[in-house]
Amino acid sequence: MDPAVGAVLVIVVFPSALPYRLGNGPLTVLPAGAAGVLLNLITVFTATPTILTGHACTLSRLIGGAVVIGGVIITDAPSFHRRTTSQEQAAAQLELEIARERVTDSVAERRATGKDLGGLRRTLTDAQIRTLLRRVGGSARSGQTGAGRLR
């Protein structure tokens, strides 16, 4: 095989297809944020075939690879993830209960004073009843229904 073709295949497989395939696999079991951190390993996958093909392994490559791998480990380590304390959970629950109570009190107050709550009205006005009767009566006389007009 021509060395140029082999080089192109190595570039296609190691720094392109392989890292993206390995990066998409964790998306089935991890949240996107946690799986996205693994995409930082693309640089490591790019350097690996270079070293395997006999090119010099310099100190800067080793340090760079160690920094990337260390960053991925630190980011994905559970001990570094922020945990919600029981006090924070209790405060959030209290805020939710207060918000619900305000909504409930507001609705009860508006109902007691007869104010409009929005949405559908509980009663129909005389004008609305006349309009409905006229529409129903007009459809029945002409023999057309709502479905008949759509055809």
Side-chain angles (χ1 to χ4, degrees), residues 110 115-121:
R110 291 183 76 76
K115 292 184 179 175
D116 185 17
L117 294 174
L120 296 176
R121 298 183 187 275

Side-chain angles (χ1 to χ4, degrees), residues 37-38 40-45 48 61-77:
V37 173
L38 298 176
N40 292 317
L41 293 174
I42 289 176
T43 56
V44 175
F45 280 109
T48 303
R61 285 187 183 155
L62 290 175
I63 292 172
V67 167
V68 169
I69 293 172
V72 170
I73 290 171
I74 289 172
T75 304
D76 279 345

Side-chain angles (χ1 to χ4, degrees), residues 22-90:
L22 294 175
N24 288 333
L27 283 173
T28 59
V29 293
L30 293 173
V37 173
L38 298 176
L39 290 177
N40 292 317
L41 293 174
I42 289 176
T43 56
V44 175
F45 280 109
T46 304
T48 303
T50 305
I51 295 168
L52 293 177
T53 55
H55 288 82
C57 182
T58 62
L59 182 63
S60 63
R61 285 187 183 155
L62 290 175
I63 292 172
V67 167
V68 169
I69 293 172
V72 170
I73 290 171
I74 289 172
T75 304
D76 279 345
S79 61
F80 289 98
H81 290 220
R82 185 179 184 282
R83 299 183 192 274
T84 306
T85 64
S86 58
Q87 292 90 358
E88 290 172 327
Q89 290 174 346

